[in-house]
Amino acid sequence: MPATDYQGSFLGRISIRRNQVMSMEGNHEQELEDLELFQKHVADRFAELAPPSPSQPSDDIPSDPILSIAWIRKLLDVFLCCDAEFKAILIMGRDPSQISKPPLDRLIPEMLDRDVKALDICNAITNGIEAVRHYQKLAEIAVSALEQRPFGDGQVKRARKALTSLITAMACEDKDGANYTRTWSFGRRGAAAAGNNKSTGQLRSLSWSVSKNWSAAKQIHAMSANLVAPRGAEASGLALPVYIMSTILLFVMWTMVATIPCQERSGLATHFPVPKQLVWAQSIIGLHEKIAEEWKKKEKKGSAGLLEEMQKLDKLGQSLIEFTDSFQFPAEDERAEEVSAHLAELGETCRRMEEGLVPLQVQIREVFHRIVRSRAEFLDVLDLNGKSSALAM
């Protein structure tokens, strides 16, 4: 079932069930059923993102390679759907006092703090996509130059210059944070301001420059620091969906940091604090292990980022530089055919980047706004409960 179908049927079911405020004690079985269904949807959605096994029928193999632009867009769609269902479970038609009781009185503030860190990462990734678009333009210059026939010294020199700039820029992506001009919408003061502006329903610009010491890797580490799976009775209560959604948020942000250039990624943790026996988390853990293995290779070799299209630019760019360095007019037929094949693949990669990068950037902004709205909704509920408690006193 498509993710949107999952979401529509699930939200409709909860909406009908909670047409009036209900107490947890009077609807325990229904709550358990909703939690089980939410876990099933999470498991199914992430299973669809997993790469095919060797034994999987060819008809079932997804067309979008893992860590490609199209795959990341599917990942963000999954996040948005899961977030909508999560809020339905936690706050739709629910007595506000229920999310102010232990352990939620601790878990919800931790989750809201995690949200603020995720907002900074979304901004970092949005700016990182600008760097990827720059790589795309350099590759396009090389393609345009070498597509002209017959090859001449002028075209080859132009292509070599663009390709050298491309490879150098990608090799330096993690080493020179000054290459990125960062503007941030949230920080410590910004988090408070977001709470003050939550009633407007609009995202107000709260921007200033961030310190050059800001680190995406440290931000991810901070998001995972207090993420602990609920145990005992808490494992079947409302603490569970909070943990699940926090895990999804952490995985999505970690994946984007590992895939798209952003400030200071060196030392990015590859440990994922999720018990392997959790059924709903199996696909997430499998994806994390695969991406973490690729990240370890990247850090060891110092190669280009994990974005599938960037890896293509790196590989093809290196091959074409070898051709330009050894070029002699007229080019040998066999060599010219090899270059033509590489150019066609490079041109196709640029086309996919042209079609996908701007929509991806828009989608990351949508995730940013969704996190802001979801955070504001929880703050509203907490404020309402605080006022009700004050009146009762």
Side-chain angles (χ1 to χ4, degrees), residues 205-267:
S205 178
L206 306 167
S207 303
W208 57 85
S209 297
V210 72
S211 167
K212 291 183 179 181
N213 294 326
W214 186 90
S215 165
K218 290 180 181 179
Q219 201 84 329
I220 291 292
H221 177 75
M223 289 180 67
S224 64
N226 57 3
L227 187 60
V228 181
R231 298 180 179 180
E234 293 181 3
S236 59
L238 294 181
L240 178 60
V242 174
Y243 174 71
I244 292 174
M245 197 61 220
S246 293
T247 300
I248 292 172
L249 178 67
L250 173 63
F251 173 72
V252 170
M253 295 300 142
W254 177 85
T255 299
M256 289 202 295
V257 167
T259 305
I260 298 171
C262 60
Q263 184 173 317
E264 189 51 50
R265 299 189 295 173
S266 59

Side-chain angles (χ1 to χ4, degrees), residues 317-370:
Q318 296 282 8
S319 296
L320 290 170
I321 283 178
E322 291 178 8
F323 166 76
T324 61
D325 286 343
S326 60
F327 173 76
Q328 290 183 346
F329 183 84
E332 298 176 2
D333 291 344
E334 183 178 341
R335 190 72 166 132
E337 289 180 7
E338 180 184 344
V339 169
S340 295
H342 287 164
L343 277 180
E345 190 175 358
L346 186 59
E348 174 61 21
T349 302
C350 290
R351 184 192 64 78
R352 291 202 308 270
M353 296 173 78
E354 180 68 26
E355 293 178 353
L357 284 175
V358 172
L360 175 60
Q361 208 166 26
V362 170
Q363 196 170 15
I364 292 172
R365 291 194 190 105
E366 181 182 356
V367 168
F368 179 98
H369 285 264
R370 173 68 70 84

Side-chain angles (χ1 to χ4, degrees), residues 116 119 184-197 206 208 375:
V116 172
L119 294 176
W184 307 89
S185 295
F186 285 88
R188 292 177 181 173
R189 289 179 296 162
N196 293 335
N197 292 333
L206 306 167
W208 57 85
R375 188 174 183 277

Side-chain angles (χ1 to χ4, degrees), residues 163-198:
L163 291 168
T164 302
S165 297
L166 169 65
I167 299 303
T168 301
M170 288 196 294
C172 294
E173 58 157 305
D174 282 327
K175 296 178 182 178
D176 188 3
N179 283 336
Y180 301 103
T181 302
R182 300 296 185 198
T183 303
W184 307 89
S185 295
F186 285 88
R188 292 177 181 173
R189 289 179 296 162
N196 293 335
N197 292 333
K198 62 183 178 293

Side-chain angles (χ1 to χ4, degrees), residues 92-119:
M92 185 183 289
R94 185 180 295 282
D95 183 348
S97 65
Q98 290 185 26
I99 68 169
S100 297
K101 297 176 181 178
L104 295 188
D105 61 338
R106 171 179 56 84
L107 296 177
I108 296 296
E110 289 178 355
M111 180 187 71
L112 298 182
D113 181 66
R114 211 172 278 120
D115 285 344
V116 172
K117 293 178 172 61
L119 294 176

Side-chain angles (χ1 to χ4, degrees), residues 26-144:
N27 298 272
H28 186 63
E29 291 184 3
Q30 292 179 345
E31 293 283 355
L32 290 177
E33 190 176 336
D34 289 342
L35 289 176
E36 289 179 5
L37 194 56
F38 178 53
Q39 293 176 75
K40 182 180 185 303
H41 288 176
V42 169
D44 290 347
R45 287 178 180 134
F46 279 94
E48 291 175 359
L49 292 173
S53 63
S55 60
Q56 191 172 342
S58 58
D59 291 344
D60 295 335
I61 296 178
S63 57
D64 302 316
I66 185 171
L67 300 183
S68 65
I69 294 170
W71 185 89
I72 294 173
R73 293 192 63 196
K74 289 181 178 178
L75 174 67
L76 297 180
D77 279 337
V78 166
F79 170 80
L80 293 170
C81 289
C82 290
D83 177 73
E85 291 191 8
F86 165 68
K87 287 189 297 182
I89 290 176
L90 260 293
I91 61 179
M92 185 183 289
R94 185 180 295 282
D95 183 348
S97 65
Q98 290 185 26
I99 68 169
S100 297
K101 297 176 181 178
L104 295 188
D105 61 338
R106 171 179 56 84
L107 296 177
I108 296 296
E110 289 178 355
M111 180 187 71
L112 298 182
D113 181 66
R114 211 172 278 120
D115 285 344
V116 172
K117 293 178 172 61
L119 294 176
D120 276 350
I121 291 173
C122 284
N123 272 320
I125 296 300
T126 299
N127 286 312
I129 291 175
E130 290 299 325
V132 179
R133 293 177 68 186
H134 175 62
Y135 306 152
Q136 171 202 337
K137 299 304 180 185
L138 290 172
E140 288 174 346
I141 291 172
V143 170
S144 176

